[in-house]
Amino acid sequence: MEKRTTYHEQIDIDNTLKLREVLRTLPDFVKDFFRAISTTTSTSTRIKYAYDIRIFFQFLLTENPAYRKFTMQEFTLADMDNITALDLEEYIEHLKAYKPLDDDEYITNGERGLKRKISALRTFYAYYYKHEMIQNNPTLLIDMPKLHEKEIIRLDADEVAKLLDFVESCGDELTPHQRKYYEKTRYRDLAIITLLLGTGVRVSECVGLDVEDLDFKNNALKLLRKGGSEMFVYFGKEVEKALKDYLEIRKGITPLSGHEHALFYSSQKKRINVKTVENLVKKYSRQVTTTKKITPHKLRSTYGTNLYQETGDIYLVADVLGHKDVNTTKKHYAAMDDSRRRKAAKAVKLREE
């Protein structure tokens, strides 16, 4: 029997092939770095590093007069050694708004984008410095971009109920043409949104599910979590019903070859992708709230907050969400919510009534 290639295995294959293509455009010495980190990083991390490092070399080619006549493959470790902290400060400023090669559209980076790119460069430089291939590491002489804390956005209990009700019944408010399309995807969309709200799985974990990953005997999902570990996540009756209703519809779908095992199908009868799930969450949630930008990750935050409020067990929340560090969980899900703040307003009496 031929071995089935899972979604995550296919992603790794695709990323490996993409990485090889990117490395062909970069200086030869860069390959040493990627070989060294291949056993400690995911393919997703490595391809992101490759794109970020390529942006750095493109910056040197277009913005640094010393390298105007270079091609990217001509850079050497000696050139790396000549880069100064001032060059890197100019690079950070460049990243805030720049045009990639062969593109007229500006790309911008906020705090998190800047930090990721400088972190990639630090890791890159650290490898060559540690192995004494260069004498200087200018990335240690610059400050990392500061991240300002963002308010955690999640749905309130009444908004969760409204969202699920809307997905179930909004066909009543649509034109006949809209309703025809809506009816095709209603059970799938309801199953996806109920699953995200009822288990807190990541959107990448959701789209990667195969039908064989469902266990209705124990009401469990088998997940490959971030970092590569496998675990079971359990779900309740509402998720069970939404999944079973969708599976009845799924029986009538003949998928494209290679997509037979996917749990959730797109309208093209292929495995649904992350972008499609993001779009459907956005489409439904804006009918419920206009002040919150709801994404699949916000549904995960909603689940995490609800689980913490119900159990008060931050370690359980960390485990179920697949966080390796409980401090990440504390930061996001143990934040004081509005209802507790309102209690604080009534707790202190200034004068006896």
Side-chain angles (χ1 to χ4, degrees):
M1 186 177 179
E2 188 177 348
K3 183 181 180 296
R4 172 167 60 93
T5 302
T6 68
Y7 167 79
H8 297 286
E9 289 169 341
Q10 189 60 52
I11 290 291
D12 283 342
I13 292 169
D14 293 344
N15 283 339
T16 300
L17 296 177
K18 283 180 194 173
L19 180 59
R20 287 177 188 168
E21 288 298 315
V22 177
L23 288 179
R24 288 190 186 103
T25 69
L26 292 169
D28 274 347
F29 67 84
V30 173
K31 293 173 185 172
D32 296 333
F33 167 71
F34 281 95
R35 271 195 297 270
I37 66 170
S38 64
T39 57
T40 57
T41 57
S42 67
T43 59
S44 175
T45 296
R46 293 197 292 280
I47 191 65
K48 287 174 184 174
Y49 275 8
Y51 288 141
D52 289 344
I53 289 163
R54 185 167 66 177
I55 290 168
F56 175 64
F57 283 117
Q58 286 173 347
F59 159 75
L60 293 176
L61 289 173
T62 57
E63 303 299 326
N64 192 316
Y67 303 108
R68 286 276 165 83
K69 295 182 180 179
F70 270 50
T71 64
M72 199 171 292
Q73 289 86 351
E74 289 178 307
F75 279 99
T76 65
L77 285 168
D79 295 308
M80 290 268 291
D81 233 342
N82 290 331
I83 301 300
T84 66
L86 182 59
D87 291 323
L88 297 186
E89 287 169 358
E90 289 176 354
Y91 176 54
I92 292 173
E93 187 60 33
H94 170 78
L95 287 173
K96 292 176 183 176
Y98 68 96
K99 288 182 180 179
L101 295 177
D102 305 320
D103 198 340
D104 289 331
E105 294 290 323
Y106 274 99
I107 290 180
T108 60
N109 283 281
E111 292 174 346
R112 280 166 175 74
L114 290 174
K115 186 165 185 178
R116 193 191 87 182
K117 287 176 173 57
I118 300 305
S119 293
L121 199 59
R122 268 195 172 177
T123 306
F124 185 60
Y125 256 95
Y127 167 76
Y128 297 102
Y129 187 69
K130 177 183 175 183
H131 289 81
E132 299 181 337
M133 298 164 141
I134 56 175
Q135 302 302 311
N136 303 300
N137 186 353
T139 64
L140 299 177
L141 304 177
I142 61 169
D143 295 326
M144 288 294 285
K146 186 177 180 180
L147 291 184
H148 292 86
E149 291 298 323
K150 289 185 176 180
E151 184 181 359
I152 304 301
I153 297 173
R154 52 197 169 238
L155 292 174
D156 297 329
D158 63 320
E159 291 171 330
V160 169
K162 285 179 184 176
L163 176 60
L164 294 173
D165 288 346
F166 186 83
V167 180
E168 277 185 326
S169 63
C170 76
D172 300 337
E173 304 169 17
L174 304 177
T175 65
H177 177 72
Q178 289 172 324
R179 191 177 299 119
K180 185 178 179 182
Y181 178 78
Y182 164 75
E183 289 295 342
K184 281 184 179 179
T185 63
R186 175 166 59 142
Y187 288 100
R188 180 203 69 185
D189 295 353
L190 183 61
I192 288 172
I193 290 176
T194 305
L195 181 67
L196 294 173
L197 283 167
T199 63
V201 297
R202 296 177 177 91
V203 63
S204 58
E205 295 166 345
C206 173
V207 302
L209 284 170
D210 287 343
V211 70
E212 292 87 354
D213 295 327
L214 292 178
D215 172 11
F216 286 112
K217 181 181 177 182
N218 297 296
N219 272 8
L221 303 169
K222 186 174 77 172
L223 291 181
L224 185 68
R225 304 235 79 150
K226 194 175 179 180
S229 60
E230 271 191 2
M231 73 174 287
F232 286 94
V233 169
Y234 299 90
F235 52 83
K237 293 293 183 183
E238 290 170 290
V239 175
E240 177 189 9
K241 182 179 186 308
L243 286 172
K244 285 183 174 178
D245 287 347
Y246 163 67
L247 287 172
E248 285 300 312
I249 303 298
R250 185 185 177 279
K251 288 177 184 176
I253 300 173
T254 304
L256 294 183
S257 178
H259 297 267
E260 296 87 353
H261 297 278
L263 175 57
F264 294 115
Y265 293 135
S266 70
S267 53
Q268 288 79 38
K269 300 179 181 179
K270 298 190 293 186
R271 181 185 295 275
I272 201 168
N273 60 37
V274 168
K275 190 67 179 174
T276 300
V277 175
E278 289 173 342
N279 286 339
L280 74 87
V281 168
K282 179 181 177 182
K283 175 180 75 173
Y284 290 117
S285 63
R286 66 187 174 198
Q287 303 296 326
V288 174
T289 173
T290 57
T291 58
K292 298 175 182 177
K293 185 181 177 183
I294 300 301
T295 63
H297 193 75
K298 301 300 186 293
L299 301 186
R300 177 171 159 84
S301 295
T302 300
Y303 171 80
T305 303
N306 290 341
L307 182 60
Y308 176 71
Q309 289 176 338
E310 288 296 321
T311 65
D313 187 342
I314 200 69
Y315 293 95
L316 173 64
V317 178
D319 181 50
V320 173
L321 291 175
H323 288 166
K324 290 183 178 178
D325 184 354
V326 75
N327 288 317
T328 302
T329 321
K330 286 178 181 177
K331 181 178 173 183
H332 290 288
Y333 301 103
M336 186 179 291
D337 59 295
D338 283 341
S339 62
R340 288 164 70 191
R341 289 193 192 108
R342 290 191 188 105
K343 286 180 183 177
K346 298 176 182 177
V348 177
K349 302 291 183 186
L350 301 182
R351 289 189 292 180
E352 289 297 326
E353 293 179 4

